Amino acid sequence: MPGTVIVHTLAGAKKAVEACKLIEALYSAGRRLVVHLDDPGRAAILDEMLWTFSQGSFIPHSLWAGEEESDDPIVIVAGDLANPNGADTLVVAGRLERPDAAAFGEIHDLAAQVAEDAGKAEAWRAAGFEV
């Protein structure tokens, strides 16, 4: 059975800082995460931001290269969805073309005020997820 989806509706069009805050909160709660972005360039930017967005915070993570499994509690995945660290939680910080995320118990999807993010909740429901 697919997991629960929480759609976070953002006030503006920028996701990166909000994604960092959400990732930090989930990590602080002891969650293992996969953070999915559809664009490798945005994934690299988020990777850098997680090291620098908040002075005094430490969020151990890695940018997945696509081959190996990872022991890191947070792995950023670009392109096709994967779960290289056996995470129970997925954070969607971009666009997930096919919501085939049934392996995750909890999914957090960031929806900015942009056309490409319209209808995210409906798409998850149509794919059989509880939103």
Side-chain angles (χ1 to χ4, degrees), residues 6 9 13 27 40 44 56 62 65 77 81 85 108 114 120 122 126:
I6 300 163
T9 304
Y27 170 70
S62 62
V77 174
L81 182 59
N85 64 339
H108 295 264
V114 294
K120 279 191 164 192
E122 293 79 11

Side-chain angles (χ1 to χ4, degrees), residues 2 10-11 15 23-25 28 31 43 47 53-55 57 64 69 79 98 100 102 105-106 119 127 129:
L10 307 180
K15 291 183 187 176
I23 292 164
E24 181 178 43
S28 295
R31 307 301 292 272
D47 176 41
F53 91 99
S54 176
Q55 208 170 14
S57 73
W64 191 53
E69 292 184 11
R98 296 181 324 269
D100 54 355
E106 188 171 288
F129 290 83

Side-chain angles (χ1 to χ4, degrees), residues 95-117:
R95 189 176 38 199
L96 189 58
E97 291 297 327
R98 296 181 324 269
D100 54 355
F104 298 93
E106 188 171 288
I107 301 159
H108 295 264
D109 196 346
L110 296 164
Q113 299 298 314
V114 294
E116 71 183 35
D117 285 355

Side-chain angles (χ1 to χ4, degrees), residues 7-128:
V7 177
H8 301 264
T9 304
L10 307 180
K14 303 285 184 182
K15 291 183 187 176
V17 172
E18 294 303 319
C20 289
K21 290 177 185 177
L22 176 60
I23 292 164
E24 181 178 43
L26 292 168
Y27 170 70
S28 295
R31 307 301 292 272
R32 289 183 73 78
L33 310 172
V34 164
V35 180
H36 178 269
L37 290 103
D38 50 316
D39 179 86
R42 288 182 180 176
I45 291 168
L46 183 63
D47 176 41
E48 287 298 315
M49 283 190 72
L50 281 172
W51 295 123
T52 61
F53 91 99
S54 176
Q55 208 170 14
S57 73
F58 176 71
I59 304 171
H61 68 280
S62 62
L63 182 59
W64 191 53
E67 306 88 36
E68 71 289 341
E69 292 184 11
S70 175
D71 290 331
D72 290 320
I74 301 166
V75 177
I76 301 169
V77 174
D80 292 335
L81 182 59
N83 190 354
N85 64 339
D88 62 348
T89 304
L90 171 65
V91 174
V92 180
R95 189 176 38 199
L96 189 58
E97 291 297 327
R98 296 181 324 269
D100 54 355
F104 298 93
E106 188 171 288
I107 301 159
H108 295 264
D109 196 346
L110 296 164
Q113 299 298 314
V114 294
E116 71 183 35
D117 285 355
K120 279 191 164 192
E122 293 79 11
W124 285 109
R125 281 189 197 97

